[in-house]
Amino acid sequence: MSYYDLDAILTDAEKVPCKFELDVPDLGYLDNNPSQGLKAQTPVSLPLWLAELLALSSRTQSSNPEDSAPFLTLEMPKALSNEVVSALKADPRAVALRDQTHNMYGLATRMLDLFEEPEMCAVLRRTFVTRAAETALHARKAGATDDVVRGEGFLSGLEEWERSLFRRAHDGNKACKEWMEGVKK
Amino acid sequence: MDIDDILREVDPSSSGLPSETRDLQSLTRVWVAERSTPELLSWPTDGLVERVNGRIASQIERVEALTGDMDPRSNFALIVIQTELERYKFLVRSYLRARLAKVDRHALHYLSTPDLRARLSPTELAYATRHQALLHNHYLASFLGSFGPTLQNLNDTSGNITMIDTPDLESAVFIRLLRDARVMGKGVDADGDVQGRTGDIIILRWSDAKPLVDTETAELV
Amino acid sequence: MYGDLGNKLVHHAKRAQNLAHLPPYQTELVRAVTREVRDLEKDLADMLESFEGGFDPHADQAKSCTMLVNHLSIRRNKRCLLAYHRTRTDKLEELVWKGYDLVDLPGQQVSSNSGSNLAATDTSSSSLSPQEEDYVRQYSDLLAAYKGQWTDIDLTGSLEPPRDLFIDVRVLKDAGEIQTEYGAITLTKNSQFYVRQGDVERLIAQGYLQKLG
Amino acid sequence: MALPLPQGLVPTEVAFLCEMEMVTVVPRQRLESIPLLSGDTPVLRPPHRAPMPLWLALLLKKQRRANIVPPAWLHPASLADIIHHETNVDPQAFSPPPPPPTRADGRTGRARPFQENIRSSREAPKPGDDPRLAPPFLPSCTADAPGGYLPYHWLELAEALLAHAADDVPAAAEVRSLLRDLQEVRAAKMRGSTQSLEGGGGVVVLRGVGAMELAESRAFVLGVVDGVRKLGASAEATRRDEEANGGGGRYGGGGGRGDFEDSDEEMEF
């Protein structure tokens, strides 16, 4: 992960459902309720940059990781719910990933780092490769125009990694065509 | 060992290719490599770039001596010389700028240890140090200066992300085998292990390709 | 919540990354995020002070949670601010490499697409912050110094591989007299020349000349 | 940014490399040797053939000072053979590249055994040796290059000759159309290689692929390989752990990760 990378920073802003394990009087604002204080087990939605370290830091003094208690516990975000993963398993091309989140794969790598989910990992890899091949086909069709990622249907559902792939495929085709035309000069 | 090897050992300059040709081949190879790897490679220690640059300078002098105010159309040799000169200038320019782009992107990383600093030429080192200072001053003047002193650094490595960005050494590259060799590379589901033949083009992670490139078993393409 | 403004900055940066020109510096937003950091720093200091040095993070878990949240928010904002400024300095450096100097920069929005006169846009206010203007000056000096080590290869020359050494060009706007090794040429609008490409690359990039196919 | 280009050579740079390929010219005029940075050019005396880098050969050709002798692989019969191989003999892989030459330099002069023959394949070269040669510094586009094999810079060289020396290429129109067929059948193979990347790479061999074909797809293919690696990072780490200690995952409870204690410690006050 890169400190200055804008996509990494935006992925870090993805919200994840979580619950605090203790009452925190000063953090009511996280639940839009500054005057009430935050009660343990209240479901809140927090960005990864905040939630991840709260889930990984220990609030108790213990050298044994087994009974270290975190400040909060995380859950899978909706974009990576069972329904979404099942839909991707059925047909990777049929899901508009961008509607789930712009940073679908970026979010997934972060969550897969936190949760052991071999099945989801396999489905996402297949999804990524299958959709990449499809993306390349569209990039070829888009031809030597500069009208990048403005198509409807499949293209409008591309998330950020896929958009980058589309641009790469498109730029490669375009540079090659331009060279071919330039040779004659 | 044959007679050529023996000759080469007694007199290194007797090697099969003229040194000009060899330098072009080396320069081309370091250029392609620098354009193709995620990390900065070592500045050639054999004086390659300085030597080529010196030859370029004397060729420019030659051109100036040959050029009066004559019509360029009339002097074919001059056109040939200048055409080649432009090709060399492009190679060196693109090479230097490919390096500088990497230095800029990960300056703090390359300045962080003596080993990494040793990859830079003296002028690159001076440039990187000064550039980093300019950036830090710019941040300080724009916002960072009003933070508490402990927050003003740019090299904090605590927490879950380090501020010192590093090149991704696991990112993939294309190489060509320069001789038959066994090629091993890390993969997700399984690692790869292939008996490769001279001329094979192979995709693998840079961390796995680097040892092959360092021993001239392979080159970047 | 904390970090929301920082996020806005990053979205600005992301948009700027894909633009040919540099959009105006977000003075207000930068100021607001900076203020947020200072407030959070002060809150943290106050909290620590209230314990008078006797703070035990494991005894007062709620407090230590609040402090961790503050601390993370500060870090987050710092990262957003740095990334925003870095994205812009990257673009500024790119312009310096392309041969723009400070006088040109306010006009770079227009010139990047239409190739119109650089000087004609002096009505638009600068999209750079004063600090960015300083930075451009200093980086130009740094680049000039580095370039000076490699005068023979013209470091800021074209990154397109050379094709034909001599090319036909048409003059799109008056550019005065240039020196070539074959003598001086006066570039007046609509005239055509057979020139050494290396002598005019900068003028082509800046839209004064057009290369003819 | 000092270099606004993607990692890896772009098509115009690949074409630039190809211009260093040696080709054979037949001079139409005398020309004395020219002192170049890469060495002196041979003296040209019609009708004696001479080797030249492509960029210089094209310059001579444009000035009508020489004709270019196309390599045997560019003849229609050779191209048809290769297409046959690509479609019928081995529809999956690219047709094999030319066999390694037996001379390292490909210039006239002293015969010297190609290093391949005198060293075991594992031995690293000694310092001071000539670099091991590869395209564009192998004589794979000269008049005596073998037919039936596409060299690394096949497409760029063919296009350059057809554009600037079409009258030197026998049956140029036919060659042009065969090249289009070849490009098409090989492009399909390049696209097909994407699916094989799902397992996360390791070592993927693209024997016989051409420089321009790589330049067109490089950024995309590398993007896919890197994406699969990042998405599979947790699976790969688990596999490595299991392989290292014969079972047992790397995760303790929910939400564990390698640097758990470290980050905890650093985040305290």
Side-chain angles (χ1 to χ4, degrees):
Chain A
M1 192 163 45
S2 161
Y3 185 85
Y4 291 90
D5 183 76
L6 299 180
D7 288 322
I9 297 176
L10 291 173
T11 301
D12 225 2
E14 290 284 341
K15 297 258 171 92
V16 187
C18 41
K19 284 179 182 144
F20 276 85
E21 295 290 320
L22 69 171
D23 293 351
V24 193
D26 297 335
L27 295 184
Y29 70 89
L30 293 177
D31 188 33
N32 285 322
N33 212 343
S35 55
Q36 292 293 307
L38 192 64
K39 291 271 175 284
Q41 302 306 321
T42 314
V44 286
S45 185
L46 296 181
L48 266 175
W49 60 262
L50 185 55
E52 188 181 47
L53 269 171
L54 288 172
L56 294 175
S57 300
S58 173
R59 63 191 156 103
T60 53
Q61 198 156 27
S62 167
S63 50
N64 183 1
E66 290 298 309
D67 39 66
S68 77
F71 289 107
L72 58 69
T73 46
L74 295 174
E75 282 162 44
M76 260 311 161
K78 212 174 118 267
L80 295 166
S81 63
N82 286 335
E83 296 84 78
V84 176
V85 173
S86 306
L88 288 174
K89 202 173 169 184
D91 183 357
R93 277 166 288 219
V95 182
L97 290 188
R98 199 169 186 80
D99 293 349
Q100 297 302 323
T101 154
H102 289 195
N103 304 292
M104 183 74 172
Y105 296 116
L107 177 63
T109 54
R110 296 288 296 276
M111 299 317 289
L112 286 170
D113 209 18
L114 295 163
F115 294 90
E116 195 172 3
E117 294 278 355
E119 160 85 3
M120 180 191 292
C121 180
V123 171
L124 285 172
R125 272 155 63 203
R126 162 146 304 177
T127 300
F128 178 68
V129 172
T130 310
R131 290 170 61 93
E134 181 82 7
T135 303
L137 284 179
H138 279 86
R140 255 163 48 88
K141 262 189 272 167
T145 65
D146 267 321
D147 198 12
V148 175
V149 199
R150 207 166 299 158
E152 64 288 347
F154 180 73
L155 286 186
S156 64
L158 299 186
E159 59 79 77
E160 286 300 307
W161 286 21
E162 293 173 337
R163 280 197 170 194
S164 157
L165 281 185
F166 180 89
R167 241 171 260 125
R168 285 160 174 248
H170 174 270
D171 291 354
N173 290 150
K174 184 162 167 259
C176 226
K177 281 208 187 80
E178 282 173 358
W179 161 75
M180 278 282 238
E181 283 153 20
V183 180
K184 279 144 204 129
K185 281 200 274 181
Chain B
M1 180 173 268
D2 69 1
I3 185 68
D4 288 286
D5 287 294
I6 296 166
L7 282 176
R8 225 187 349 253
E9 270 173 25
V10 237
D11 176 10
S13 67
S14 78
S15 138
L17 296 170
S19 85
E20 289 87 354
T21 313
R22 238 181 347 187
D23 279 350
L24 176 60
Q25 291 163 355
S26 305
L27 180 63
T28 305
R29 189 167 282 170
V30 297
W31 171 63
V32 175
E34 204 65 78
R35 284 283 286 110
S36 308
T37 52
E39 69 172 328
L40 183 75
L41 303 174
S42 289
W43 181 257
T45 49
D46 59 356
L48 171 70
V49 188
E50 293 82 359
R51 196 161 58 241
V52 170
N53 194 49
R55 291 211 189 104
I56 289 176
S58 28
Q59 193 78 326
I60 289 175
E61 279 171 29
R62 190 204 301 263
V63 169
E64 280 163 3
L66 287 172
T67 324
D69 51 357
M70 67 187 120
D71 181 349
R73 269 176 253 246
S74 64
N75 192 336
F76 183 65
L78 195 57
I79 288 186
V80 172
I81 289 175
Q82 295 202 58
T83 300
E84 195 212 27
L85 200 47
E86 288 306 313
R87 296 179 61 85
Y88 268 73
K89 284 162 69 174
F90 166 77
L91 267 181
V92 177
R93 179 192 304 143
S94 182
Y95 173 66
L96 291 175
R97 289 182 61 169
R99 292 181 57 84
L100 224 46
K102 293 181 186 180
V103 170
D104 282 345
R105 199 164 309 130
H106 300 120
L108 283 175
H109 169 67
Y110 293 117
L111 292 173
S112 65
T113 71
D115 276 356
L116 287 166
R117 272 200 298 273
R119 292 190 192 180
L120 281 67
S121 75
T123 43
E124 285 170 342
L125 192 58
Y127 167 89
T129 311
R130 174 82 182 132
H131 188 197
Q132 197 48 42
L134 288 184
L135 277 174
H136 201 165
N137 284 338
H138 173 59
Y139 301 146
L140 284 170
S142 299
F143 62 93
L144 203 56
S146 56
F147 292 2
T150 52
L151 275 178
Q152 294 188 3
N153 62 3
L154 298 182
N155 56 2
D156 191 348
T157 56
S158 68
N160 62 344
I161 176 156
T162 166
M163 289 184 73
I164 303 180
D165 277 352
T166 53
D168 183 357
L169 304 184
E170 300 305 308
S171 61
V173 295
F174 283 89
I175 57 167
R176 173 199 287 118
L177 287 187
L178 295 171
R179 59 184 129 144
D180 297 351
R182 185 178 171 192
V183 179
M184 293 182 285
K186 298 186 285 292
V188 174
D189 291 332
D191 297 339
D193 185 346
V194 167
Q195 190 58 45
R197 284 172 288 170
T198 305
D200 280 357
I201 305 282
I202 294 174
I203 311 173
L204 75 176
R205 297 181 189 174
W206 168 239
S207 60
D208 293 317
K210 192 171 189 303
L212 298 173
V213 172
D214 286 346
T215 54
E216 289 185 36
T217 304
E219 65 175 345
L220 275 304
V221 291
Chain C
M1 66 173 269
Y2 295 129
D4 285 350
L5 293 173
N7 229 35
K8 266 196 192 169
L9 266 187
V10 178
H11 278 288
H12 274 289
K14 173 100 177 163
R15 228 169 294 135
Q17 225 173 21
N18 299 319
L19 292 175
H21 66 273
L22 192 67
Y25 184 78
Q26 294 290 319
T27 313
E28 282 311 313
L29 206 45
V30 170
R31 201 170 290 161
V33 180
T34 308
R35 198 179 308 125
E36 189 173 299
V37 173
R38 282 211 309 268
D39 291 348
L40 283 162
E41 276 193 287
K42 186 166 179 306
D43 287 354
L44 260 184
D46 289 350
M47 272 186 268
L48 272 177
E49 205 170 312
S50 69
F51 291 103
E52 290 163 350
F55 175 55
D56 174 4
H58 301 293
D60 193 340
Q61 295 178 3
K63 266 284 177 273
S64 90
C65 183
T66 305
M67 289 170 71
L68 184 52
V69 168
N70 268 24
H71 184 77
L72 291 171
S73 304
I74 291 173
R75 278 172 175 263
R76 170 70 185 179
N77 279 328
K78 177 177 171 183
R79 189 179 178 193
C80 292
L81 281 164
L82 281 171
Y84 175 75
H85 286 82
R86 176 66 178 264
T87 305
R88 291 179 61 90
T89 53
D90 278 352
K91 282 191 93 78
L92 289 171
E93 287 167 19
E94 196 176 335
L95 293 169
V96 173
W97 274 98
K98 283 184 184 159
Y100 292 93
D101 62 31
L102 209 49
V103 188
D104 300 327
L105 283 173
Q108 36 94 20
Q109 280 100 320
V110 182
S111 64
S112 58
N113 281 325
S114 63
S116 71
N117 198 325
L118 292 177
T121 51
D122 54 1
T123 46
S124 74
S125 64
S126 175
S127 50
L128 277 62
S129 74
Q131 292 81 6
E132 285 176 330
E133 292 187 4
D134 282 344
Y135 183 78
V136 169
R137 251 176 247 122
Q138 290 161 343
Y139 187 77
S140 302
D141 291 347
L142 172 60
L143 179 56
Y146 184 76
K147 236 184 102 161
Q149 308 284 326
W150 299 98
T151 45
D152 291 325
I153 55 146
D154 183 17
L155 204 62
T156 48
S158 173
L159 290 170
E160 277 285 308
R163 292 210 41 201
D164 297 303
L165 182 54
F166 291 89
I167 54 168
D168 287 303
V169 291
R170 195 207 327 272
V171 183
L172 296 176
K173 49 195 178 190
D174 291 346
E177 190 179 277
I178 58 162
Q179 290 298 326
T180 74
E181 52 195 286
Y182 303 103
I185 306 178
T186 307
L187 301 173
T188 44
K189 194 172 170 180
N190 289 326
S191 52
Q192 286 192 17
F193 293 95
Y194 185 63
V195 286
R196 223 173 144 273
Q197 190 160 354
D199 290 337
V200 295
E201 262 160 7
R202 178 66 47 75
L203 292 166
I204 294 174
Q206 293 178 341
Y208 285 94
L209 300 180
Q210 181 191 23
K211 186 174 165 181
L212 299 174
Chain D
M1 211 185 297
L3 190 88
L5 290 171
Q7 186 180 312
L9 300 189
V10 297
T12 48
E13 292 173 322
V14 165
F16 172 80
L17 264 192
C18 173
E19 287 166 1
M20 298 185 196
E21 284 277 350
M22 283 294 188
V23 294
T24 305
V25 300
V26 181
R28 299 170 61 168
Q29 297 176 10
R30 300 164 68 94
L31 188 70
E32 299 311 315
S33 172
I34 303 172
L36 291 183
L37 288 165
S38 49
D40 297 349
T41 64
V43 174
L44 297 186
R45 293 281 180 272
H48 299 288
R49 294 178 166 199
M52 288 277 162
L54 177 64
W55 66 265
L56 181 49
L58 290 175
L59 209 52
L60 291 166
K61 174 71 188 173
K62 282 178 194 168
Q63 300 239 348
R64 300 173 194 282
R65 291 168 186 268
N67 293 96
I68 300 175
V69 185
W73 56 261
L74 194 59
H75 287 247
S78 161
L79 291 176
D81 276 355
I82 298 169
I83 291 175
H84 175 75
H85 187 105
E86 299 255 1
T87 31
N88 303 318
V89 181
D90 193 348
Q92 305 301 318
F94 296 106
S95 58
T102 47
R103 298 274 180 278
D105 49 14
R107 293 196 160 210
T108 49
R110 211 151 54 108
R112 206 160 53 83
F114 192 55
Q115 285 143 332
E116 226 64 32
N117 304 333
I118 52 171
R119 280 206 198 95
S120 78
S121 61
R122 295 286 175 74
E123 193 188 336
K126 287 167 290 191
D129 274 3
D130 290 342
R132 283 173 173 275
L133 293 187
F137 300 111
L138 288 176
S140 47
C141 297
T142 53
D144 17 301
Y149 302 98
L150 293 180
Y152 186 58
H153 286 292
W154 67 275
L155 182 60
E156 309 86 280
L157 190 104
E159 291 294 330
L161 291 190
L162 287 173
H164 302 290
D167 53 334
D168 292 338
V169 179
E174 197 187 338
V175 166
R176 221 171 244 133
S177 116
L178 287 165
L179 283 172
R180 292 293 86 86
D181 295 348
L182 203 44
Q183 255 186 300
E184 219 158 279
V185 58
R186 289 168 62 96
K189 294 180 181 185
M190 197 73 202
R191 285 197 295 280
S193 66
T194 311
Q195 276 302 334
S196 72
L197 302 173
E198 189 185 323
V203 178
V204 179
V205 182
L206 290 176
R207 185 173 173 78
V209 72
M212 196 54 80
E213 292 157 330
L214 273 192
E216 180 171 18
S217 307
R218 183 188 282 108
F220 173 78
V221 170
L222 295 183
V224 175
V225 176
D226 289 340
V228 170
R229 167 176 59 86
K230 287 175 186 164
L231 282 170
S234 59
E236 185 178 336
T238 308
R239 174 174 69 83
R240 288 195 195 290
D241 279 0
E242 281 166 5
E243 285 169 5
N245 42 37
R250 73 189 257 262
Y251 302 107
R257 56 187 255 168
D259 55 357
F260 183 95
E261 274 92 357
D262 289 340
S263 41
D264 176 32
E265 210 152 28
E266 280 153 2
M267 291 316 295
E268 287 190 26
F269 308 100

